[in-house]
Amino acid sequence: MTIVENDDPSTVAARAVERLRLAEARLARRRQTDCGPSENARAAMRLILERADDGQTVTPTEIAQALGVSTASVTGMLDRLHAGGLIGFIANPDDRRSKFVVPFDRSVDADAIDPVTARIREFALTLPADAADHIATFLDQVREVVDAECR
């Protein structure tokens, strides 16, 4: 990381975010071919966990629609997540042909599932509380910009 002496804080922060985005893109490419769940599988897990945390259910079809992929590709992805112990299925009481996707046992150590998140949490523990709040707010604003792009 090279910081030019006259760089203003906004430039330093923007460059750091860009380096992070590039690193995440490289990680996503590696995960597609080398290790871990794909980006779509990670997005599906986020959706499943968000819905569960909100007390809602989600079907494979809803996951496919949210990700913009076919139900066939979601079926294969969910089968792999299920085989890895990350999700389960329960019957939809209102439709015998449908099932809900539920998250893994939430008592399982989430850090064991995603070592990157575990390391980030370690770093975050060293932050002063007020700095952590500012960083979280900044990163949430960055996420909103990224999420809004190409919609």
Side-chain angles (χ1 to χ4, degrees):
M1 170 175 68
T2 304
I3 297 178
V4 178
E5 201 170 299
N6 60 356
D7 279 350
D8 61 277
S10 64
T11 300
V12 172
R15 286 182 181 153
V17 169
E18 185 58 26
R19 288 190 303 274
L20 174 62
R21 292 181 68 208
L22 292 170
E24 286 183 325
R26 289 189 303 270
L27 175 60
R29 286 191 300 277
R30 285 193 310 271
R31 282 185 167 164
Q32 284 177 336
T33 58
D34 299 336
C35 67
S38 68
E39 186 55 37
N40 273 345
R42 291 167 53 80
M45 281 303 305
R46 283 189 295 271
L47 177 63
I48 294 163
L49 292 169
E50 286 170 3
R51 290 282 183 91
D53 289 347
D54 291 341
Q56 300 174 350
T57 56
V58 64
T59 66
T61 301
E62 292 170 324
I63 293 170
Q65 291 169 344
L67 298 178
V69 298
S70 72
T71 54
S73 71
V74 165
T75 299
M77 174 181 51
L78 293 178
D79 287 345
R80 288 186 296 278
L81 291 172
H82 183 261
L86 297 177
I87 62 165
F89 302 102
I90 58 171
N92 180 343
D94 299 326
D95 181 353
R96 292 181 307 150
R97 299 166 295 156
S98 177
K99 61 186 174 185
F100 294 126
V101 183
V102 295
F104 59 91
D105 179 358
R106 297 302 281 275
S107 66
V108 171
D109 181 13
D111 290 349
I113 295 167
D114 185 2
V116 172
T117 300
R119 291 295 312 269
I120 292 169
R121 189 172 291 119
E122 284 177 29
F123 302 146
L125 288 172
T126 66
L127 293 170
D130 61 333
D133 289 341
H134 288 297
I135 292 168
T137 299
F138 172 73
L139 291 174
D140 282 341
Q141 291 169 335
V142 171
R143 179 194 43 79
E144 288 170 6
V145 169
V146 170
D147 284 345
E149 184 64 21
C150 295
R151 283 198 169 183

